């Protein structure tokens, strides 16, 4: 199944919807992949505290030689006291 959240206007909740929906789907056992095409990349930042500039979708569009498998990584969140953990089923 593919769910696409798109709207040209800013400030309508695209990122909030994406982050919360994907977290909920992953929590219910569904393997979930977020593909963040927004130039601000806030969905990516929400689940990847250290986002390497050379390992983004933009780099994939600019360089056809990039291995797409290297761009897919588990979602990471801070749980407490700066400790990080991965979220099962969310990439």
């Amino acid at each position: 199944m593919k769910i696409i959240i798109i709207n040209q206007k800013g400030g309508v909740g695209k990122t909030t919807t994406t982050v919360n929906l994907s977290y909920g789907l992953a929590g219910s056992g569904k393997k979930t992949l977020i593909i963040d095409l927004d130039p601000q990349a806030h969905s990516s930042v929400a689940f990847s505290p250290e986002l390497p500039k050379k390992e983004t979708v933009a780099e994939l569009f600019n360089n056809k030689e990039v291995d797409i498998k290297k761009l897919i990584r588990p979602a990471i969140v801070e749980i407490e006291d700066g400790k990080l953990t991965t979220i099962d089923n969310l990439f």
Side-chain angles (χ1 to χ4, degrees), residues 18-83:
T18 299
V19 167
N20 288 301
L21 180 61
S22 62
Y23 186 83
L25 288 169
S28 68
K30 305 286 185 197
K31 286 194 175 202
T32 306
L33 173 66
I34 298 174
I35 301 174
D36 190 357
L37 298 177
D38 189 332
Q40 294 174 328
H42 287 145
S43 294
S44 298
V45 171
F47 292 122
S48 184
E50 296 179 16
L51 187 62
K53 295 283 185 195
K54 290 285 187 178
E55 296 179 8
T56 65
V57 171
E59 189 64 24
L60 179 65
F61 287 136
N62 292 326
N63 181 358
K64 302 286 187 209
E65 302 299 316
V66 172
D67 182 3
I68 195 168
K69 291 178 185 175
K70 291 182 180 179
L71 301 179
I72 300 172
R73 60 178 60 90
I76 300 170
V77 293
E78 184 177 330
I79 49 173
E80 59 183 50
D81 300 328
K83 294 179 184 173

Side-chain angles (χ1 to χ4, degrees), residues 4-14 38:
I4 300 168
I5 300 169
I6 187 169
N7 192 326
Q8 189 173 3
K9 184 173 180 335
V12 295
K14 298 179 297 286
D38 189 332

